[in-house]
Amino acid sequence: RDRDYSALHKYSQSQSTSKKDGSVEERRSMASSMGGGNAGEGEWLKVAELRAMAEAQDPHVKEVDNLTLRRFLRARGHAVGKASAMLLKFVAWRREAVPGGVMLAELVRTELSHEMAYMAGADRAGRPVMLAFPAKHFSATRDMAGFKRYVVYLFDAMCAR
């Protein structure tokens, strides 16, 4: 479990990006250097546009990596304005739910002791696998705020892998 936190911390440190002024040349340069996935240059240009638009409204967006921005963009059908609104809501929620930026294992120690879920390695494509045991989730006796912290911790641990 401590390994999950350490991997998460390394991941969050590696994903920080430098501030960009949003010029067309910079966006094209960023688009050509991003590579990754099944995205073409046009999609990466939209990612850069999304970053510039969202960072103008909330400087905390610079902490969000480009692949996450691409997911927001795809979730809104490549509509940059809609993706920006969705992203800004997420960043505000994340800042409120995880004030330090990383959910520490100490904050979810009780939930971790119940062993309701654990990381189970990776699938054939290298994606992380999490096993959850719904029978161990007792909603009547659960502190919902603590459970929300636990879910954030689990997803952060998966993303770190």
Side-chain angles (χ1 to χ4, degrees):
R1 291 183 185 129
D2 291 332
R3 252 191 336 222
D4 288 344
Y5 170 70
S6 132
L8 175 62
H9 181 69
K10 287 177 188 172
Y11 173 79
S12 64
Q13 293 297 320
S14 71
Q15 293 302 313
S16 63
T17 56
S18 61
K19 191 168 184 167
K20 297 160 189 63
D21 75 0
S23 70
V24 174
E25 292 80 25
E26 246 179 27
R27 282 185 269 163
R28 282 205 176 112
S29 169
M30 184 169 111
S32 64
S33 68
M34 278 195 241
N38 296 323
E41 182 179 346
E43 187 172 41
W44 289 122
L45 286 171
K46 284 195 172 214
V47 167
E49 184 180 345
L50 171 60
R51 178 176 295 285
M53 180 184 288
E55 277 185 9
Q57 295 177 28
D58 186 346
H60 290 94
V61 171
K62 69 182 175 189
E63 299 168 8
V64 179
D65 64 282
N66 290 324
L67 294 175
T68 300
L69 292 176
R70 185 178 72 175
R71 282 196 301 273
F72 277 93
L73 192 61
R74 287 178 173 181
R76 290 295 173 244
H78 292 89
V80 176
K82 290 179 181 180
S84 177
M86 183 181 180
L87 174 65
L88 291 169
K89 286 179 185 177
F90 165 74
V91 169
W93 172 84
R94 177 82 185 183
R95 195 170 40 247
E96 181 182 319
V98 188
V102 175
M103 185 61 65
L104 302 174
E106 292 81 37
L107 297 174
V108 293
R109 185 77 53 208
T110 303
E111 289 81 5
L112 287 171
S113 69
H114 295 280
E115 298 180 343
M116 297 181 280
Y118 72 93
M119 302 301 288
D123 68 3
R124 291 179 183 166
R127 297 172 297 224
V129 174
M130 177 186 297
L131 293 178
F133 302 99
K136 292 186 176 187
H137 295 265
F138 300 109
S139 60
T141 61
R142 179 183 322 134
D143 168 33
M144 284 308 289
F147 183 69
K148 286 179 184 178
R149 285 191 304 269
Y150 179 61
V151 170
V152 169
Y153 174 82
L154 291 174
F155 282 118
D156 282 352
M158 283 190 67
C159 289
R161 290 184 172 210

